[in-house]
Amino acid sequence: MKKALLLIVLFSISVFTGNAQDSSSKIEVNRVLGSYTYKQNGNYLSGKQLLQLMDSNNEAMQLMKSANRSKTWATILGGAGGAFIGFPIGTAIGGGDAKWELAGIGAALILVAIPISSNYNKKSKKAVDMYNNGFSSTAYQFKPTFDLNLKGNSIGISMSF
């Protein structure tokens, strides 16, 4: 009975240890349409999730905070610019007297938002690169597997890497 219980405990430990995921793995960077997408373990990451991951690297975290502020401003200015452009267009389509000065102001806001958005892209990529540089290349590639070996009256756990 004791051997069976020991066998179950050891087997459970080896299965859970062998299937554990390392939550501190590198972040993949992909360039898409002038911007970047970030993935870790196959999951896409938002700016807020990137900031949470970078908690262990203070310099990267500060740069990511600055990047997120840039993204917020770019979103606000771009949205306001789009509204200022859309309102006169909607008025003109509806047959009213459109105020095209608003469309000009909207275009100016969008032109200001573009370099701010570009600044977000540069800062966020640099922050991710700083974060990824914190990993040693050998530790990142080290992925051992554990096996439970049963031979006669003996039990063993082997690790392969």
Side-chain angles (χ1 to χ4, degrees):
M1 181 68 177
K2 289 181 183 180
K3 287 183 182 181
L5 183 60
L6 180 63
L7 177 65
I8 291 171
V9 169
L10 287 176
F11 180 73
S12 298
I13 290 172
S14 67
V15 168
F16 290 123
T17 304
N19 291 332
Q21 277 189 337
D22 184 17
S23 63
S24 61
S25 62
K26 286 190 176 186
I27 299 171
E28 298 173 37
V29 181
N30 297 316
R31 186 152 178 92
V32 178
L33 297 175
S35 184
Y36 295 101
T37 59
Y38 304 102
K39 288 171 65 174
Q40 186 181 43
N41 298 328
N43 298 321
Y44 286 98
L45 301 172
S46 67
K48 188 175 183 178
Q49 291 170 325
L50 285 171
L51 192 61
Q52 290 173 346
L53 285 173
M54 294 179 187
D55 191 30
S56 61
N57 186 332
N58 192 36
E59 188 176 358
M61 184 176 70
Q62 293 304 321
L63 190 58
M64 194 65 211
K65 281 183 181 179
S66 176
N68 281 344
R69 282 191 295 273
S70 295
K71 184 178 183 179
T72 301
W73 277 108
T75 302
I76 290 169
L77 292 173
F84 280 149
I85 290 172
F87 185 73
I89 291 173
T91 303
I93 290 172
D97 185 28
K99 301 206 182 252
W100 294 108
E101 299 84 17
L102 288 178
I105 292 170
L109 287 175
I110 289 175
L111 287 175
V112 170
I114 290 171
I116 295 173
S117 179
S118 176
N119 191 24
Y120 164 76
N121 290 330
K122 290 176 188 174
K123 285 182 178 180
S124 63
K125 181 168 184 331
K126 187 175 180 182
V128 168
D129 289 341
M130 278 184 197
Y131 175 79
N132 285 341
N133 287 337
F135 292 103
S136 65
S137 60
T138 56
Y140 177 66
Q141 295 173 353
F142 180 72
K143 295 184 180 178
T145 58
F146 296 92
D147 296 314
L148 184 63
N149 299 323
L150 301 172
K151 291 185 181 177
N153 289 335
S154 61
I155 295 176
I157 297 177
S158 65
M159 179 174 80
S160 303
F161 49 93

